[in-house]
Amino acid sequence: AITNPGYFKLWPRVWVRKSSRSFSLRNALFWQSYVGLLARHLPCKSVVDLLRKGAEHLSTQPSAEGEYHAAFTELSAGALRALRKPDAACSELRRQVWNQLRPWLLTELTQSSQERLADWCDAVRFMATGSQKPLLKGPTPGYSSEATQAEEDEQFLIPLLNFVVGGEHDLRFDALACTMAPVRFDWVEGGAAGEAESTKEGSSFDSFKRLRLLMALLHEPIATKVIQSDEGFCNKIAELLQPGLGHPYKQLREEVARAIFLTLRASSHHANEDSSLKAVALRIEDWLCAEASRLLPSLQADNAAHRKESQDDARPRHVVESSGLCYTLMHSALARITSRHLGKAAPSSLMFLLAA
């Protein structure tokens, strides 16, 4: 499958497989090539208008017509991937295209089902890495893999990251900004919350979608390279995730645990020991230790009393929080990164795991 010296014409090497059966790499590559051609030969306004009309046509199709919405993700991924060059003209065009496509992107993401979410995960990873990845350094004598990335501006990832972890605020292009609300749940006595059930479910599913997209980007070293230098953004990611580890909805709790695990793993993508991402990973490890110590007495009391879960699904808060912590520890253990990233937390968590 090698078509050029030092290149694989495949998905990025960190991929095991694609997430979606609908997202077509060939279609995304077509749009990437076509938008690149338009950007070289048409005025900026004409390119923006064409993309806006195409996005509007595809996004306004009935929800049952899944092929149109899959085509929308391919168009968006290819167009935004094409506009990654560092020159001023491309940066300005990228800004305008983002501003025009973002309302339709938000609409599509809000209306997408869990099945179509896989298209979005593939789309954001394509925007970040495209389809070509250089081999590890030094695969060919006299060949430098660094030179192939010279025309790519890593700053093009800033609006993508801000979109994934952003709310309805204006999209920033100059700096990372995490404006997504923390994944939290307002507990009251008895394990229920005071807000309406429909509101809770809608808000939780929105958070679920955003977490999936965040996890898709955390797989990519180029995305974590951009993140690692921004301490404020890394701290916001941690603050966003930590409250969700005790969320009563099992599916959302699992997603938060997986996102925390991927954050820990992403801290090892680069050799820089002073990166903000590594510092946040250490703070997360300390927090996991503290959570295990806090929850252990309650679990031991339950075990001593031979207390069983109630039949009305109103499990105590400490039980819910313990399950989220277990998910994180198990993900780390199964990925064989416990000794490397949770060297301090693992020994202190053994009693907690036995009690849980």
Side-chain angles (χ1 to χ4, degrees), residues 263-278:
T263 302
L264 293 171
R265 192 179 71 172
S267 66
S268 66
H269 283 174
H270 308 283
N272 183 7
E273 294 295 332
D274 297 327
S275 73
S276 299
L277 195 56
K278 286 186 181 293

Side-chain angles (χ1 to χ4, degrees), residues 37-280:
L37 178 67
L38 294 178
R40 289 191 297 271
H41 297 285
L42 290 181
C44 180
K45 185 177 184 303
S46 299
V47 177
V48 173
D49 288 342
L50 287 171
L51 291 175
R52 178 184 56 79
K53 291 177 182 178
E56 181 178 1
H57 171 72
L58 295 172
S59 182
T60 53
Q61 300 301 316
S63 297
E65 303 291 341
E67 62 272 15
Y68 286 100
H69 299 280
F72 175 87
T73 60
E74 294 159 359
L75 167 64
S76 303
L80 293 171
R81 177 65 187 170
L83 304 176
R84 67 188 187 280
K85 300 298 171 44
D87 56 275
C90 187
S91 297
E92 178 59 28
L93 179 57
R94 179 168 67 237
R95 180 188 296 268
Q96 294 188 36
V97 170
W98 262 111
N99 287 333
Q100 288 296 324
L101 292 185
R102 185 172 178 247
W104 301 110
L105 290 168
L106 289 172
T107 300
E108 278 288 305
L109 183 59
T110 301
Q111 297 177 354
S112 66
S113 62
Q114 187 169 343
E115 291 72 24
R116 288 217 301 266
L117 192 56
D119 298 348
W120 280 87
C121 291
D122 281 356
V124 297
R125 295 185 76 175
F126 182 86
M127 293 179 203
T129 61
S131 65
Q132 290 183 332
K133 285 292 286 185
L135 293 171
L136 297 176
K137 293 182 179 180
T140 306
Y143 175 80
S144 173
S145 61
E146 297 295 332
T148 62
Q149 299 182 10
E151 295 185 357
E152 188 168 299
D153 180 12
E154 293 175 357
Q155 298 303 304
F156 85 96
L157 286 173
I158 288 179
L160 176 60
L161 288 162
N162 289 344
F163 171 79
V164 167
V165 292
E168 301 298 327
H169 303 80
D170 292 337
L171 189 66
R172 293 191 61 179
F173 295 86
D174 57 338
L176 293 171
C178 178
T179 57
M180 180 179 169
V183 185
R184 65 173 73 253
F185 191 86
D186 296 326
W187 285 86
V188 296
E189 188 176 357
E195 56 183 332
E197 191 69 25
S198 60
T199 303
K200 290 188 296 185
E201 291 179 357
S203 176
S204 297
F205 190 45
D206 289 341
S207 298
F208 173 84
K209 294 175 184 177
R210 299 282 185 168
L211 287 174
R212 275 292 175 91
L213 298 185
L214 174 61
M215 287 188 287
L217 286 175
L218 287 175
H219 277 92
E220 304 299 342
I222 188 173
T224 57
K225 183 179 179 181
V226 175
I227 293 172
Q228 70 170 350
S229 60
D230 193 314
E231 183 176 2
F233 186 81
C234 294
N235 287 329
K236 282 286 187 179
I237 293 294
E239 294 170 5
L240 166 71
L241 295 174
Q242 287 173 345
L245 207 58
H247 201 284
Y249 293 161
K250 179 175 180 290
Q251 191 177 40
L252 189 56
R253 192 164 65 246
E254 289 177 342
E255 294 301 313
V256 170
R258 192 177 296 116
I260 290 176
F261 151 69
L262 288 173
T263 302
L264 293 171
R265 192 179 71 172
S267 66
S268 66
H269 283 174
H270 308 283
N272 183 7
E273 294 295 332
D274 297 327
S275 73
S276 299
L277 195 56
K278 286 186 181 293
V280 168

